[in-house]
Amino acid sequence: MTTDAAPVSNFLRTIIDNDLKSGRYQDRQWAPPPSAASARLAGAIDPARIRTRFPPEPNGYLHIGHAKSICLNFGLARDYQGICHLRFDDTNPEKEEDEYVQAIIDMVRWLGFDWTADGTPHQYFASDYFETFYQFAEALVQAGHAYVDEQSADQMRATRGTLTEPGTDSPWRDRPAAESLNLLRDMRAGKHPDGAMALRARIDMASPNINLRDPVLYRIRHVSHHRTGDAWCIYPMYAWAHPVEDALEGITHSICTLEFEDQRPFYDWILERLSELGQLAAPLPHQYEFARLNLSYVVTSKRKLRQLVVEGHVQGWDDPRLPTLAGLRRRGYSPGAIRLFCDRIGVSKADSRIDYSVLEQALRDDLDPIAARAVAVLDPVKLVITNFPADHTEPCSAPVNPHEPDGARREFPLTRELWIERDDFREDPPKKYFRLFPGNLVRLKYGYVVRCTGCVKNDQGDVVEVHCEYLPDTRSGTPGADAIKVKGAITWVSAKHAIAAEIRLYDRLFREAHPDRGDQDFLQAINPDSCRVVQAWLEPGTRAEPGAGWQFERLGYFIADREASTVDRPVINRTVTLRDTWV
């Protein structure tokens, strides 16, 4: 993948620059994961200058917030001649599925990133390290750094203390290492039910950082895992697995979002203890935190996204109104637009909320130079050119892309009866209205100048036809085109040749910028007009193959739906309007 723009400096790049300048990682060795100390020290010098990782849990679909992490981790590895791993943190069997694994792989590739280096794929699973996790846990127990606690989860929570009060030691905290080791082996063997006991790190129950008050390393869960089946009934906690995974993969810069900042002391404690015990080789990974993406008018909580899907508020994980990457792709967002958006919002340690319009503008800027143009009429009313012969067809043409005026052209016919947008006619126009009204002159874009002569209404008073006369010597591209100056131009399609299409006019899913602020019910902020379906007419020659996209002139960017559209029955999604309509 090529770089979209010159890298912008940030605090993470400064850290990496300093690490490379000091030679902190230049002599480290590499062995395929899981590589404990013996394997690592037997390996060759790591060919990657740095190693980063994108470590999603496969318990849902990726969303726009993940895109920031993907672009950051893969982008840093690319720019510093390093390697970024795609690692699945599948340590919670109750919520993880192969469906999500495949969806994540699909989306990372769609964004333009790859985890293969010199023919070696660097795709890993935490579940591949379960045996190594367990051996490390036994080493911690034998060294007195961990113990088996028989308190219930509620009891542990009650004795953990508060931000202002220290915790209380477990009655099992000082049990002999040999006894804890036997109990841990019984836990692994499935001899105890869920919740009967847990393995805890022995650190400091009076620590001002609650994360260091003897955190749980293993809990009992008699649940099948999507990859290991029933081979295990104890599973590592994320805070314990995360640093170990990084070390086993030789990660140099472990980049997380700010909510993990308080976990960093435990991250360091785990790696330091295992290094002292000879289980891990130096240099050890280091964790750095950056501000997560907070985007207005969306929710990115996996729980809330799942609720929207399960309760039927949207039509699946790839619903074009969702901020999932699958939904954004189906909506018509391009990988380049999302990468551009991530570049523009930058990387910092300060939390902020980005307005959704910034994402939309990135899309416009990405698509404008490359999108094919076409005409669509979404709210049609018939325009009759009364002095145009009924059996006559006149060919017209326009550039496929105005940024390439000498490039390909599209052809379409002008006939006596046309479809125009209903909003392009006013019987009694407001001030500064320059389109069709009785007596006014406008240009049919790529065609002739016409003079409006009136309209026809039905019994309810609705306009059903607009009438006009064309001026024969004013066709676009001819010497007479500029003979008559007009202030307005309107788009049109031939009524005889137009293609019928279903257009889904998607808008923001929520009416409020912060739909899940505080304790409010985010479902109450759903926008009832987030999807309107209209029957429209398309310029002839517009082939609505799934995934084909256009800029419909004067309307915005649209894409043929990946699931529902066919050439014979076009179903087209509005991606974004030509300008922000929410200001």
Side-chain angles (χ1 to χ4, degrees), residues 161-203:
T162 66
L163 292 175
T164 57
E165 297 178 353
T168 303
D169 286 356
S170 165
W172 311 105
R173 195 173 194 271
D174 295 323
R175 75 189 327 160
E179 185 178 328
S180 280
L181 185 61
N182 287 333
L183 288 172
L184 176 60
R185 290 171 177 173
D186 287 345
M187 287 169 57
R188 175 177 180 171
K191 295 182 179 180
H192 301 284
D194 291 1
M197 53 189 66
L199 182 68
R200 298 179 71 176
R202 183 185 283 108
I203 307 179

Side-chain angles (χ1 to χ4, degrees), residues 299 304 307-308 311 313 509-511 515-516 520-527:
V299 296
K304 292 174 182 176
Q307 184 178 352
L308 288 169
E311 294 182 0
H313 301 287
L509 182 58
F510 296 100
R511 296 169 298 177
D516 54 353
Q520 69 183 25
D521 181 2
F522 72 102
L523 297 178
Q524 297 302 311
I526 289 179
N527 176 12

Side-chain angles (χ1 to χ4, degrees), residues 393-547:
T393 297
E394 191 154 342
C396 297
S397 71
V400 171
N401 188 319
H403 294 283
E404 301 175 3
D406 297 326
R409 298 187 70 81
R410 59 192 213 266
E411 309 290 333
F412 43 89
L414 175 68
T415 56
R416 176 185 173 90
E417 295 185 354
L418 310 174
W419 294 116
I420 64 170
E421 289 289 347
R422 186 172 297 276
D423 194 46
D424 283 341
F425 171 76
R426 288 285 188 273
E427 192 174 14
D428 184 17
K431 290 183 179 180
K432 297 184 179 180
Y433 183 85
F434 300 121
R435 285 166 277 172
L436 285 169
F437 57 87
N440 193 41
L441 293 171
V442 301
R443 177 172 292 284
L444 298 177
K445 199 171 184 184
Y446 312 118
Y448 292 95
V449 172
V450 297
R451 176 183 289 108
C452 181
T453 58
C455 64
V456 177
K457 299 181 180 180
N458 61 17
D459 293 340
Q460 289 75 43
D462 300 320
V463 174
V464 294
E465 279 186 6
V466 178
H467 289 182
C468 69
E469 295 177 346
Y470 83 107
L471 282 59
D473 296 328
T474 59
R475 178 173 165 171
S476 295
T478 67
D482 296 328
I484 297 178
K485 302 295 183 182
V486 296
K487 293 184 177 180
I490 64 171
T491 50
W492 52 272
V493 294
S494 165
K496 182 178 179 180
H497 300 90
I499 299 172
E502 175 185 307
I503 307 286
R504 298 172 179 175
L505 298 175
Y506 287 109
D507 209 330
R508 298 179 186 179
L509 182 58
F510 296 100
R511 296 169 298 177
E512 298 181 17
H514 306 162
D516 54 353
R517 186 205 304 267
D519 297 328
Q520 69 183 25
D521 181 2
F522 72 102
L523 297 178
Q524 297 302 311
I526 289 179
N527 176 12
D529 296 321
S530 61
C531 179
R532 288 191 302 115
V533 178
V534 300
Q535 300 304 311
W537 296 101
L538 308 181
E539 177 183 306
T542 305
R543 290 181 59 82
E545 297 166 333

Side-chain angles (χ1 to χ4, degrees), residues 272-352:
E272 289 165 3
R273 300 296 81 75
L274 291 173
S275 178
E276 292 167 357
L277 296 172
Q279 303 294 327
L280 295 175
L284 299 171
H286 190 82
Q287 176 179 300
Y288 304 92
E289 304 85 20
F290 69 100
R292 66 182 298 169
L293 171 60
N294 298 303
L295 191 65
S296 65
Y297 295 101
V298 302
V299 296
T300 53
S301 158
K302 285 184 179 178
R303 177 183 62 81
K304 292 174 182 176
L305 290 173
R306 184 177 290 107
Q307 184 178 352
L308 288 169
V309 172
V310 171
E311 294 182 0
H313 301 287
V314 295
Q315 303 300 312
W317 286 99
D318 65 346
D319 188 295
R321 294 166 292 180
L322 287 181
T324 58
L325 295 182
L328 290 169
R329 177 174 67 174
R330 191 171 176 186
R331 175 84 171 252
Y333 275 79
S334 63
I338 293 176
R339 296 195 302 266
L340 178 60
F341 170 70
C342 291
D343 285 341
R344 286 179 173 176
I345 62 176
V347 179
S348 74
K349 290 191 69 87
D351 273 325
S352 62

Side-chain angles (χ1 to χ4, degrees), residues 60-89:
Y61 282 67
L62 298 182
H63 55 66
I64 186 64
H66 294 111
K68 180 177 179 180
S69 180
I70 293 169
C71 292
L72 177 59
N73 281 286
F74 280 94
L76 288 172
R78 173 198 63 208
D79 294 345
Y80 285 97
Q81 296 81 56
I83 295 172
C84 182
H85 297 183
L86 176 62
R87 179 212 301 153
F88 293 94
D89 269 323

